[in-house]
């Protein structure tokens, strides 16, 4: 009886604690949302970035105000971490892998020059302040990354998104995001070990590269088809839950691989950006993202200590000047060196002169790991707030500054600058021998494919090594002469890697023969040409194959079985490769085609103003027309977003009837299928163009 009463009492106490804890969580969230709502409405009225409103709300509800408004900061920080996931996922959705190939040397040169320059400048400014080296290093990292969200918002509000300089800025931001992810991984290693030697840096970047390749390749092969399947249910709830599952799942994998949740969330966002449903995903995720991102920026504000800012106000102003002047110079210089005009270069530099969300994440990393001093975080936030406020004014003032420079700068300066820009542009137009150019492109393509294959193979064997460390707990013990469970894991990794090994062997053989045929000419070898080419090609292939075997042996050193079993496994693997050679070639080719289709499929930008804006209420000349979509229609299988019918013809799809079901006012992410009855609206001329386009009699709505 006593025991029963004790259990009842404990149960009641636990429930009471749970109720109190739940009430505190709801109370904290209510306080945050109420204060953030009031402050952001005020900022909206003042036409200032709402991000600053969130930070101010955090300052109001933080511990540095007389009234304690937050009951449990740990809960709020947990919500803030979820906000980081959604923020980075959203940034990934705006990241386009295909754009990375289009931005060219400008983005790489400008972003690299900016990050290296600002990292160095920030580091030495920190040392000049008398800060310890770790604080100075994190300061340089904080100052080196511009804010994607602030820049996109500023350019959108100023209606400059379609300008040439804005395209250059977006390209630089793409490269910045990649370099920032690498910087996060490097800083995480420094925070954990207290420093990194050169070989440790190489290993860190090598592991990061392998993780990125495997995640992106596997993700691009699996996620777009999965999203297409899930979207086929035509249920927003199912799609949203599936997207969130992948988002949090990949973030967890990144953490388990000792990377940050920000990396995982960004990667899965970038992968989903290549899915046809990216626009739908963006629309669904936006309210959830806005909620948790608001909490994240509030937690940023909660960490601000006004006393630190008041004490170090002059340091804040110095760092603001360093950010603005340093970024304008480095970004403008990188853009100009890539061949752009002084006007475009200056507009790019002044558009990137601020820091934002990545800087907060870097500062938070230093604070949570305890490697940076407490004063660094509030200073970083203060610098971000001030530079965010100055961004629109800098963008607006770029043209007057360029005109002033053109008027006042001596000819000795402006003339060489113009000559240089023209010279760089001519470099890209010089003609080359078509045959040599084709061979060069083929070798580069094969080399990239070999590099990706080697990264995937490396990842398989590294994963096998990690799994092998725990096999004793998972797999029953095997006889010692077999090498134990670790040998079985190694053999499984070999079998999984066989298609990649076969493909790599074929690519190496192709490159070897191309090198042999281009280097061994008939003029030199004469009648021995074929024999010498065969010897050269086979020697190169044998050397490359030996290097591959050596690399696998190094990766597998901890799990290799005894040599008799190793020989047996090698014979079995060789036999499997010989028997299933063609099947493995087809498997690799199909994966390659699927990857190529994903990256080359018509890709509509996530722009809710393009295909989703409402039709004007008064269309005096509007008419309706219904057509049945033929099997051979070029629109069959496309999303309305991808078709861009209104942009190309002026007409709009206002209804679809399929299999007896009607869809009124379809959205941009609904598709068209053969046999659909499609209801169109527009003027007579617009309808003629649209019908011709949908029926396949016209390739454009202008004819």
């Amino acid at each position: 009886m006593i025991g029963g009463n004790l259990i009842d009492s404990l149960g009641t106490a636990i429930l009471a604690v749970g109720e109190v804890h739940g009430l505190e969580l709801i109370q904290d969230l209510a306080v945050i949302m109420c204060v953030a709502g009031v402050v952001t409405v005020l900022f909206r009225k003042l036409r200032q970035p709402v991000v600053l409103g969130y930070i101010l709300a955090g300052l109001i509800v933080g511990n540095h105000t007389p009234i304690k408004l937050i009951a449990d900061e740990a809960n709020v920080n947990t919500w803030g971490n979820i906000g980081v996931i959604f923020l980075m996922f959203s940034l990934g959705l705006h990241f386009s892998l295909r754009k990375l190939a289009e931005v060219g040397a400008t983005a790489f040169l400008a972003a690299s020059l900016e990050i290296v320059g600002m990292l160095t400048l920030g580091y030495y400014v920190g040392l000049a302040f008398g800060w310890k080296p770790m604080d100075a290093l994190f300061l340089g990292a904080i100052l080196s990354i511009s804010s994607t969200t602030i820049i996109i918002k500023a350019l959108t509000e100023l209606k400059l998104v379609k300008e040439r300089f804005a395209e250059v800025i977006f390209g630089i931001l793409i490269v910045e995001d990649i370099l920032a992810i690498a910087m996060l991984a490097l800083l995480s290693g420094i925070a954990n070990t207290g420093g990194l030697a050169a070989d440790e840096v190489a290993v860190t970047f090598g592991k990061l590269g392998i993780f990125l390749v495997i995640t992106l390749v596997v993700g691009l092969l699996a996620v777009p088809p999965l999203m297409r399947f899930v979207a086929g249910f035509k249920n927003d709830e199912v799609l949203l839950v599936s997207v969130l599952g992948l988002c949090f799942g990949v973030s967890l994998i990144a953490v388990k691989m000792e990377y940050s949740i920000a990396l995982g969330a960004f990667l899965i966002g970038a992968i989903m950006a290549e899915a046809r449903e990216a626009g739908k995903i963006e629309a669904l995720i936006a309210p959830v993202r806005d909620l948790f991102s608001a909490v994240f920026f509030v937690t940023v504000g909660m960490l601000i200590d006004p006393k630190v800012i008041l004490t170090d106000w002059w340091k804040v102003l110095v760092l603001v000047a360093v950010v603005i002047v340093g970024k304008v110079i480095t970004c403008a210089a990188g853009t100009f060196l890539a061949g752009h005009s002084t006007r475009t270069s200056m507009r790019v530099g002044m558009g990137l002169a601020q820091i934002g969300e990545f800087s907060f994440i870097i500062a938070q990393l230093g604070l949570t790991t305890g490697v940076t001093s407490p004063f660094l975080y509030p200073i970083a936030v203060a610098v971000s707030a001030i530079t965010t406020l100055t961004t629109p004014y800098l963008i607006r003032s770029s043209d007057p500054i360029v005109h002033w420079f053109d008027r006042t700068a001596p000819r000795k300066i402006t003339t060489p600058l113009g000559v240089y820009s023209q010279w760089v542009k001519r470099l890209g137009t010089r003609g080359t021998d078509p045959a040599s150019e084709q061979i060069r492109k083929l070798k580069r393509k094969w080399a990239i494919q070999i590099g990706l294959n080697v990264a995937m193979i490396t990842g398989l064997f590294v994963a096998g090594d990690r799994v092998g460390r725990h096999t004793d707990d998972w797999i029953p013990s095997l006889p010692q002469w077999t090498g134990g469970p670790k040998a079985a894991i190694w053999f499984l990794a070999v079998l999984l890697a066989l298609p990649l090994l076969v493909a790599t062997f074929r690519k190496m053989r192709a490159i070897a023969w191309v090198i042999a045929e281009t280097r061994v000419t008939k003029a030199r070898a004469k009648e021995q040409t074929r024999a010498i080419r065969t010897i050269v090609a086979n020697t190169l292939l044998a050397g490359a194959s030996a290097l591959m075997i050596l690399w696998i042996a190094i990766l597998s050193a901890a799990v290799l079985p005894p040599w008799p079993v190793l020989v047996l496994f090698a014979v079995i693997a060789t036999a499997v490769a010989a028997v299933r050679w063609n099947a493995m070639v087809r498997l690799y080719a199909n994966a390659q085609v699927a990857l190529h289709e994903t990256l080359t499929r018509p890709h509509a930008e996530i722009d809710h103003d393009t295909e989703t804006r409402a039709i004007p209420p008064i269309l005096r000349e509007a008419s309706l027309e219904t057509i049945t979509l033929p099997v051979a229609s070029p629109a069959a299988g496309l999303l309305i977003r991808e078709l861009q019918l209104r942009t190309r013809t002026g007409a709009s799809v206002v209804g679809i009837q399929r299999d007896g079901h009607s869809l009124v006012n379809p959205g941009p992410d609904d598709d068209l299928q053969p046999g659909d009855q499609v209801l169109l609206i527009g003027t007579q001329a617009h309808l003629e163009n649209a019908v011709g386009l949908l029926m396949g009699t016209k390739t454009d709505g202008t004819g």
Side-chain angles (χ1 to χ4, degrees):
M1 191 68 179
I2 296 175
N5 291 336
L6 180 60
I7 292 174
D8 291 341
S9 300
L10 285 174
T12 303
I14 291 171
L15 288 174
V17 171
E19 289 177 2
V20 172
H21 182 75
L23 182 61
E24 288 180 350
L25 182 63
I26 295 172
Q27 172 188 316
D28 291 342
L29 188 60
V31 169
I32 288 173
M33 289 294 101
C34 289
V35 176
V38 172
V39 174
T40 49
V41 167
L42 176 62
F43 270 64
R44 192 67 181 174
K45 282 286 187 181
L46 297 174
R47 296 185 178 181
Q48 297 301 324
V50 293
V51 171
L52 298 182
Y54 294 143
I55 294 174
L56 178 59
L59 183 60
I60 293 172
V61 302
N63 288 331
H64 304 290
T65 52
I67 303 174
K68 184 176 176 61
L69 298 174
I70 298 297
D72 190 345
E73 285 192 24
N75 285 331
V76 178
N77 290 331
T78 300
W79 289 75
N81 287 332
I82 298 175
V84 172
I85 293 177
F86 281 106
L87 183 65
M88 299 307 298
F89 178 75
S90 181
L91 289 177
L93 275 177
H94 288 90
F95 175 92
S96 175
L97 292 169
R98 68 189 73 189
K99 277 186 177 179
L100 187 58
E102 298 171 2
V103 293
T106 300
F108 283 98
L109 182 59
S112 301
L113 187 60
E114 174 199 7
I115 289 178
V116 172
M118 293 305 298
L119 190 62
T120 305
L121 188 60
Y123 178 77
Y124 282 107
V125 169
L127 293 181
F129 286 160
W131 296 352
K132 61 184 182 181
M134 194 64 74
D135 287 333
L137 177 62
F138 270 77
L139 175 65
I142 288 168
L143 301 185
S144 64
I145 306 296
S146 299
S147 172
T148 301
T149 53
I150 297 299
I151 293 171
I152 291 176
K153 189 170 183 60
L155 291 174
T156 302
E157 290 178 351
L158 294 173
K159 295 180 170 43
L160 297 173
V161 176
K162 302 298 182 182
E163 295 279 341
R164 172 59 183 163
F165 84 96
E167 295 178 2
V168 177
I169 285 177
F170 293 150
I172 293 173
L173 290 173
I174 288 173
V175 180
E176 266 193 15
D177 288 341
I178 296 174
L179 296 178
I181 290 295
M183 191 184 303
L184 271 177
L186 195 60
L187 290 173
S188 297
I190 293 173
N192 292 329
T193 63
L196 288 177
D199 56 340
E200 292 175 330
V201 172
V203 170
T204 299
F205 277 106
K207 289 181 178 179
L208 176 63
I210 292 169
F211 177 73
L212 292 176
V213 168
I214 294 175
T215 304
L216 290 174
V217 171
V218 175
L220 289 172
L221 288 174
V223 171
L226 178 61
M227 291 295 98
R228 198 175 310 129
F229 170 76
V230 173
F233 291 102
K234 302 295 182 183
N235 186 299
D236 289 350
E237 182 180 358
V238 173
L239 181 58
L240 177 61
V241 172
S242 301
V243 168
L244 293 181
L246 283 172
C247 176
F248 283 95
V250 176
S251 298
L252 179 62
I253 291 172
V255 172
K256 292 294 184 182
M257 296 298 294
E258 299 177 355
Y259 296 112
S260 66
I261 56 174
L263 172 60
F266 180 84
L267 286 178
I268 189 62
I271 291 167
M272 287 191 184
E274 301 303 328
R276 297 172 62 188
E277 296 74 21
K280 184 73 171 178
I281 292 170
E282 165 70 9
L284 287 176
I285 210 76
V288 189
R289 176 205 63 207
D290 292 343
L291 168 64
F292 287 104
S293 297
V295 178
F296 166 70
F297 286 114
V298 169
T299 61
V300 170
M302 289 173 61
L303 292 171
I304 298 177
D305 187 350
K307 294 179 181 178
V308 173
I309 297 177
L310 291 174
T311 302
D312 296 326
W313 62 268
W314 65 275
K315 294 179 182 177
V316 171
L317 294 180
V318 169
L319 292 176
V320 168
V322 168
V323 168
I324 294 176
V325 176
K327 283 182 174 285
V328 169
I329 293 176
T330 55
C331 294
T335 306
F336 178 76
L337 289 174
H340 292 273
S341 65
T342 53
R343 179 171 181 265
T344 299
S345 302
M346 183 60 70
R347 297 179 87 186
V348 168
M350 299 188 79
L352 289 165
Q354 80 294 115
I355 60 175
E357 58 280 347
F358 253 123
S359 301
F360 298 150
I361 295 171
I362 292 172
Q364 201 170 53
L365 172 66
L367 190 63
T368 54
T369 54
V371 298
T372 58
S373 302
F375 62 76
L376 182 59
Y377 195 99
I379 288 177
V381 175
V383 172
S384 173
I386 296 174
T387 54
T388 297
L389 285 172
T390 60
T391 295
Y393 302 103
L394 288 172
I395 294 174
R396 287 195 193 101
S397 62
S398 59
D399 279 351
I401 290 176
V402 171
H403 292 322
W404 171 82
F405 178 80
D406 289 339
R407 289 194 311 269
T408 59
R411 292 279 183 178
K412 293 180 181 180
I413 296 177
T414 57
T415 301
L417 293 178
V419 171
Y420 175 82
S421 296
Q422 295 299 320
W423 174 73
V424 174
K425 289 180 181 178
R426 287 196 298 270
L427 284 179
T429 59
R430 289 183 179 178
T432 56
D433 177 39
S436 300
E437 182 67 16
Q438 184 65 24
I439 291 173
R440 187 181 64 81
K441 286 182 178 179
L442 274 177
K443 289 195 291 186
R444 183 176 62 185
K445 176 184 175 182
W446 290 334
I448 292 173
Q449 290 173 347
I450 289 173
L452 292 175
N453 291 345
V454 170
M456 296 284 287
I457 292 167
T458 302
L460 277 172
F461 282 98
V462 169
D465 178 60
R466 289 202 171 194
V467 172
R469 299 174 189 174
H470 306 283
T471 49
D472 293 335
D473 301 329
W474 303 338
I475 303 175
S477 59
L478 298 174
Q480 190 64 31
W481 63 268
T482 64
K486 293 181 180 179
I489 296 296
W490 178 81
F491 184 56
L492 179 61
V494 171
L495 293 179
L496 291 174
L498 272 181
L500 294 169
L501 290 169
V502 168
T504 303
F505 178 82
R506 295 176 73 244
K507 303 297 181 188
M508 291 190 304
R509 183 173 60 187
I511 290 180
W513 273 103
V514 167
I515 293 174
E517 291 184 3
T518 54
R519 297 298 181 184
V520 181
T521 61
K522 290 184 178 180
R524 291 183 178 181
K526 298 181 181 179
E527 67 274 2
Q528 300 296 324
T529 300
R530 184 172 181 80
I532 296 176
R533 284 177 176 175
T534 301
I535 293 172
V536 171
N538 288 336
T539 302
L540 291 173
L541 181 59
S545 301
L547 287 175
M548 177 61 70
I549 293 171
L550 178 61
W551 178 240
I552 292 175
I554 293 172
L555 294 172
S556 312
V559 292
L560 280 177
W563 71 265
V565 179
L566 178 62
V567 172
L568 177 62
F569 282 171
V571 170
I572 295 174
T574 304
V576 171
V579 172
R580 304 295 297 169
W581 184 277
N582 292 333
M584 291 179 183
V585 170
R586 285 195 300 271
L587 177 64
Y588 183 86
N590 290 337
Q592 205 171 13
V593 168
L595 197 61
H596 183 265
E597 287 180 352
T598 297
L599 293 174
T600 56
R601 184 186 299 116
H603 185 270
E605 294 293 330
I606 299 175
D607 183 357
H608 304 300
D609 295 329
T610 303
E611 291 292 331
T612 59
R613 60 183 182 270
I615 298 172
I618 301 176
L619 287 175
R620 296 180 180 176
E621 300 179 3
S623 303
L624 294 170
E625 184 161 343
T626 302
I627 66 167
T628 301
L629 204 67
V631 176
S633 170
L638 292 182
L639 303 178
I640 294 176
R641 181 192 303 279
E642 295 173 332
L643 184 60
Q644 295 185 332
L645 188 68
R646 188 182 305 168
T647 303
R648 298 169 68 182
T649 69
S652 298
V653 177
V654 293
I656 300 173
Q657 186 168 348
R658 179 185 305 160
D659 299 329
H661 300 284
S662 297
L663 178 61
V664 179
N665 194 21
D669 294 292
D670 288 307
D671 60 350
L672 299 176
Q673 295 296 336
D676 285 353
Q677 288 187 302
V678 182
L679 179 63
L680 303 170
I681 188 171
T683 65
Q684 198 58 43
H686 293 161
L687 290 174
E688 289 178 4
N689 288 330
V691 170
L693 183 63
L694 294 176
M695 301 298 287
T697 58
K698 292 182 180 180
T699 57
D700 198 295
T702 59

